[in-house]
Amino acid sequence: MSKIIISGHGQYSIGLLNAFHMIFGETTDIVAVPFLKGEGIPQLQAKIATAVDDFKTEESILIMVDIFGGTPYNAATQWIYDKPEMDVISGTNLPLLLEAATHLNENDIQQLVSDLLTAVPETVVAFSEKMQAIKTQNDEEEDDLL
């Protein structure tokens, strides 16, 4: 079973995990590791190491961060560089975290990441585009009736 560490700037990871718990329920397979003001890469890497140790697992661990190239991303990628059972993805949002939680039974980290990258386009939706698609579908259905 895979585990997940969420990290991001400020209280982002804590807020994201709290929102996740409201929808999905409590789980010990996902933890938040915030990157707080005044901290640097070494402090964040130490917190990531503690979270990994707390999992007490040899299974795969995915670190989900807020921004590609940000300090949480850089700290995580440097820390996991030689750990093939771990990976990092950026652009984390609540729908993506919920999707990840449904794949925790996959111990293959590459498959988990692949599944999440496939799901990414579905996590951001524009209301206007959805409404236009419905209107177009309705117009086509009306044309079929004529």
Side-chain angles (χ1 to χ4, degrees):
M1 176 174 245
S2 298
K3 308 290 186 181
I4 296 174
I5 296 171
I6 311 163
S7 189
H9 292 80
Q11 300 294 323
Y12 178 78
S13 60
I14 293 169
L16 187 61
L17 186 58
N18 286 336
F20 170 84
H21 286 155
M22 288 178 67
I23 297 167
F24 198 85
E26 298 288 325
T27 178
T28 58
D29 296 324
I30 303 174
V31 297
V33 175
F35 170 57
L36 303 174
K37 188 174 182 175
E39 292 180 334
I41 287 178
Q43 292 86 6
L44 186 53
Q45 286 176 332
K47 292 194 306 189
I48 291 169
T50 298
V52 169
D53 290 344
D54 288 348
F55 279 141
K56 296 177 177 54
T57 185
E58 296 295 320
E59 297 174 295
S60 61
I61 297 175
L62 178 63
I63 302 175
M64 301 177 73
V65 300
D66 55 356
I67 301 171
F68 175 79
T71 301
Y73 177 86
N74 292 334
T77 56
Q78 290 173 22
W79 194 81
I80 69 150
Y81 186 77
D82 61 349
K83 297 172 178 67
E85 72 283 3
M86 299 180 76
D87 206 346
V88 177
I89 63 169
S90 62
T92 300
N93 58 31
L94 184 55
L96 193 60
L97 179 58
L98 290 164
E99 182 71 23
T102 66
H103 293 273
L104 284 179
N105 287 333
E106 296 174 13
N107 197 37
D108 179 5
I109 191 72
Q110 288 80 22
Q111 185 61 51
L112 174 59
V113 169
S114 176
D115 291 345
L116 294 177
L117 293 177
T118 300
V120 165
E122 298 172 14
T123 68
V124 178
V125 177
F127 174 75
S128 59
E129 288 183 13
K130 287 291 185 187
M131 292 308 299
Q132 183 59 42
I134 290 169
K135 182 182 181 313
T136 300
Q137 181 181 5
N138 288 342
D139 290 348
E140 289 172 359
E141 289 173 0
E142 285 178 13
D143 289 344
D144 289 345
L145 293 175
L146 299 176

